[in-house]
Amino acid sequence: MIRKIARLAIAIVGLLTIGAGWYVVSARQGWRTPDDAKLRARYALPTGRFATIDGQSIHYVDEGQGPAIVLVHGSFASLRMWDGWADALRGRYRLIRFDRPPMGLSGAEPQGRYDAAREAELIGALTERLGVHRFVLAATSSGGESAAAYAAAHPDKVRGVIFANIAAGPLAFRPTAYPLAFRLALWADPYLGGWHMPAFWNGVLTANYADPAKVTSALVREWTDLNNRAQFYLRRPRPPGYVSFARTPADLAAIRAPALLLWSDTDPEVPLAIDGRNALRLLGSTDKRLTVIRYCGHMMPLECGPASVAAARVFLDRVTHDVR
């Protein structure tokens, strides 16, 4: 009996080892990510379009009529992050949103450049192609870096800015006690060759939501599929001494357009008391306001679409001179 149990245990361990080995190999080879045709069928919106700009494929949506609003999403997200805002605003505004390369369904940048300066160039190139010469620029999270850079450099193009939970400067590391499943995913991550398992993306999302119960399995699948597209994309190494968001304080100070800051009250990445107040202080605009969105985490447009877009609409109606 003992020998049978031992043989069974050995067999189970062997099967688990083979399964784990296959999982690692298939992840490292990129076999676990659907091809682009399947991903476009699964995640491209009916109004989604593709254009080649400066050698890279850009996925974007241009919908609605009225004053133009350009929406810039945050890290690891896609233009779908703004779905809630689009539903509320497309009947009154022209909304332009795009997948920041290499995120969403956009392609790789040919030189592997993924920095604020390159992305600010893309904002300019896309709006020029679409014939949009003046617009309100709205950005959340890391999208604020390139949006602030563009607004500072092109005051003639930007009639107003909305910044939601952006990094107002270099971020301070704040240790967090993650759930066991996320800690295990982080432990396994270096062995997967740049592919990230669903538990990893579930951990990223739930850590940034005020109410983790709002993170659905469909959202986790979307983030897993879309973010793993870039597993083998070329990325130019950061120059020595590079610090993320180091340029943003100077860019914020150079902005003169009317500005609305939207900040979540429970943002773990860029806390209201530190980053929100600092962003308000740094902004060079004389017409500026900070509005707090209650019971909301870092990913504001995803988690708190209705509350945040309601606050944004009041600002948009005013700065576009179309109040009613």
Side-chain angles (χ1 to χ4, degrees):
M1 184 66 178
I2 294 177
R3 290 181 178 178
K4 289 183 178 179
I5 294 175
R7 286 196 294 269
L8 178 60
I10 291 171
I12 292 173
V13 169
L15 289 174
L16 290 174
T17 301
I18 293 171
W22 170 247
Y23 191 95
V24 170
V25 169
S26 61
R28 293 180 67 89
Q29 295 297 319
W31 299 337
R32 306 194 70 84
T33 300
D35 62 32
D36 271 12
K38 291 180 180 178
L39 292 177
R40 288 188 180 193
R42 188 176 296 171
Y43 298 114
L45 298 179
T47 50
R49 305 174 189 174
F50 292 85
T52 300
I53 299 177
D54 294 338
Q56 59 186 323
S57 174
I58 301 300
H59 177 229
Y60 72 96
V61 169
D62 179 7
E63 59 186 343
Q65 295 182 341
I69 318 295
V70 175
L71 303 166
V72 186
H73 65 77
S75 295
F76 309 123
S78 70
L79 58 79
R80 296 172 65 99
M81 181 176 235
W82 297 105
D83 283 353
W85 280 42
D87 290 342
L89 297 175
R90 69 167 60 92
R92 187 173 177 80
Y93 292 98
R94 180 181 179 183
L95 302 176
I96 298 166
R97 44 187 170 139
F98 65 98
D99 286 337
R100 298 167 54 200
M103 292 173 269
L105 293 170
S106 287
E109 204 284 331
Q111 304 301 318
R113 282 187 56 200
Y114 303 109
D115 54 58
R118 183 71 183 97
E119 201 164 273
E121 293 173 1
L122 178 57
I123 292 171
L126 179 61
T127 51
E128 282 295 318
R129 173 170 295 209
L130 297 178
V132 178
H133 304 298
R134 191 160 166 78
F135 51 90
V136 175
L137 186 55
T140 187
S141 188
S142 65
E145 184 178 27
S146 56
Y150 183 88
H154 301 280
D156 57 318
K157 301 287 189 181
V158 178
R159 65 196 305 176
V161 295
I162 301 175
F163 294 132
N165 295 345
I166 68 167
L171 297 179
F173 175 71
R174 301 178 179 94
T176 303
Y178 295 126
L180 177 60
F182 191 27
R183 295 203 303 273
L184 291 173
L186 291 173
W187 172 83
D189 200 61
Y191 301 100
L192 302 180
W195 187 88
H196 306 291
M197 64 177 62
F200 175 92
W201 295 113
N202 182 74
V204 170
L205 287 160
T206 56
N208 285 283
Y209 266 54
D211 182 3
K214 293 181 179 179
V215 176
T216 65
S217 58
L219 183 61
V220 172
R221 183 190 185 193
E222 174 190 325
W223 278 49
T224 302
D225 286 346
L226 293 181
N227 282 295
N228 284 324
R229 283 182 69 242
Q231 180 178 359
F232 301 114
Y233 285 1
L234 170 70
R235 293 178 183 270
R236 179 184 294 184
R238 299 295 194 187
Y242 175 85
V243 178
S244 296
F245 311 111
R247 64 172 295 164
T248 304
D251 287 330
L252 290 174
I255 293 173
R256 297 293 181 268
L260 172 66
L261 294 178
L262 297 176
W263 228 273
S264 298
D265 60 346
T266 58
D267 189 329
E269 297 284 340
V270 285
L272 170 64
I274 301 172
D275 298 275
R277 302 298 178 189
N278 192 40
L280 182 65
R281 177 185 63 82
L282 289 168
L283 266 169
S285 311
T286 56
D287 179 354
K288 58 184 179 180
R289 179 175 180 178
L290 173 65
T291 297
V292 178
I293 306 301
R294 303 292 181 186
Y295 314 114
C296 190
H298 181 65
M299 298 179 181
M300 183 189 295
L302 272 178
E303 185 181 9
C304 314
S308 57
V309 75
R313 178 164 176 168
V314 174
F315 174 80
L316 291 169
D317 286 349
R318 180 171 66 81
V319 301
T320 56
H321 307 291
D322 186 25
V323 181
R324 63 181 176 181

